[in-house]
Amino acid sequence: GEAQWPLLLSFQAPASSQDTATLMNLYDAEVAYTDEQIGVLIAGIRARTHRPTFLVVVADHGEEFNDHGGIQHGRTLFDELLRVPLIIVGPGITPGSVVDSPVSLVSLWPTLAQLVGVAPPPKADGRGLLDLVRGNFPARAPDLFADLEPRFPGDGQVHRRAVVDGTWKLLVGADRSLSLYDLTTDPHEQFAVGATGVSREKFLQAILKVHDTVARL
């Protein structure tokens, strides 16, 4: 009921599963509206120009609906927040092709530059994805990083950092705690790997350290 909607400000999932379902339905409606408006945009482009045009559709983050005990976004770095769609349409791109390799949004800026044939921005720290879009896969997928800036006291922030190396993901808590997940056997990140993953955990910590060092240069 209405009395529970203030929970939206606390990031805590409603006690009622019906209320959670209502939130999900509202979100689905928002996605449907966005999809409709993209159609309006495409129709407008086709009506106004015959020039080659690239269309890129992407989201900045996902939403949690009690996947890990909360709702909304901005508190955790679980995959329901990090995995977002990236759709690229235009000349030279095979319609309907799907790339399963995960990439980072930092690659979006240099990719746009590649698509229109200009030099990548000097401050762009991601790699362009044009080769990947055209089916040329690298021998090894790049490590992916995510970061949550401290927000405000009492916001209940759970995570601070994340690094993904292949199928392994390390989460660094706001309290500096570490949680390691094997995304192959546990794609929904429900069971942190215990003592058997200590060596992998240290390896991912080293990757984070190298990343931070390069970022400061």
Side-chain angles (χ1 to χ4, degrees):
E2 293 183 1
Q4 292 194 12
W5 297 128
L7 286 171
L8 289 172
L9 301 178
S10 70
F11 301 98
Q12 298 302 310
S16 166
S17 60
Q18 183 177 356
D19 283 346
T20 300
T22 298
L23 288 176
M24 295 176 69
N25 289 336
L26 290 171
Y27 188 74
D28 287 343
E30 181 182 17
V31 172
Y33 174 78
T34 302
D35 180 70
E36 179 184 20
Q37 294 306 306
I38 291 173
V40 172
L41 172 64
I42 293 173
I45 292 173
R46 287 174 173 171
R48 289 170 173 78
T49 181
H50 297 288
R51 299 172 59 186
T53 303
F54 289 98
L55 180 68
V56 180
V57 180
V58 68
D60 53 347
H61 56 75
E63 289 288 300
E64 180 186 357
F65 293 100
N66 202 18
D67 301 79
H68 289 90
I71 53 175
Q72 300 197 72
H73 60 271
R75 296 170 57 251
T76 77
L77 290 172
F78 289 118
D79 269 11
E80 60 264 22
L81 283 300
L82 296 190
R83 290 182 64 87
V84 297
L86 173 58
I87 303 171
I88 304 176
V89 180
I93 299 176
T94 304
S97 59
V98 177
V99 177
D100 292 327
S101 300
V103 297
S104 174
L105 289 181
V106 296
S107 293
L108 188 57
W109 194 6
T111 301
L112 293 174
Q114 286 182 325
L115 290 173
V116 297
V118 299
K123 292 184 178 181
D125 57 359
R127 64 181 66 186
L129 303 176
L130 191 56
D131 283 344
L132 194 63
V133 169
R134 291 176 174 170
N136 301 318
F137 297 91
R140 184 185 184 281
D143 298 315
L144 303 177
F145 303 90
D147 188 86
L148 264 178
E149 293 292 335
R151 290 154 53 90
F152 48 86
D155 71 342
Q157 183 174 338
V158 177
H159 297 143
R160 180 70 180 84
R161 309 287 303 284
V163 55
V164 179
D165 178 70
T167 63
W168 292 91
K169 179 176 179 180
L170 180 67
L171 291 170
V172 181
D175 59 356
R176 299 183 183 275
S177 61
L178 301 174
S179 300
L180 179 68
Y181 293 91
D182 181 353
L183 300 180
T184 300
T185 59
D186 182 23
H188 300 295
E189 299 161 287
Q190 297 296 316
F191 308 101
V193 177
T196 56
V198 169
S199 60
R200 175 65 61 171
E201 186 176 282
K202 290 181 178 179
F203 176 67
L204 292 181
Q205 281 185 276
I207 289 177
L208 265 178
K209 185 175 181 180
V210 171
H211 173 71
D212 292 344
T213 301
V214 173
R216 287 194 295 266
L217 295 179

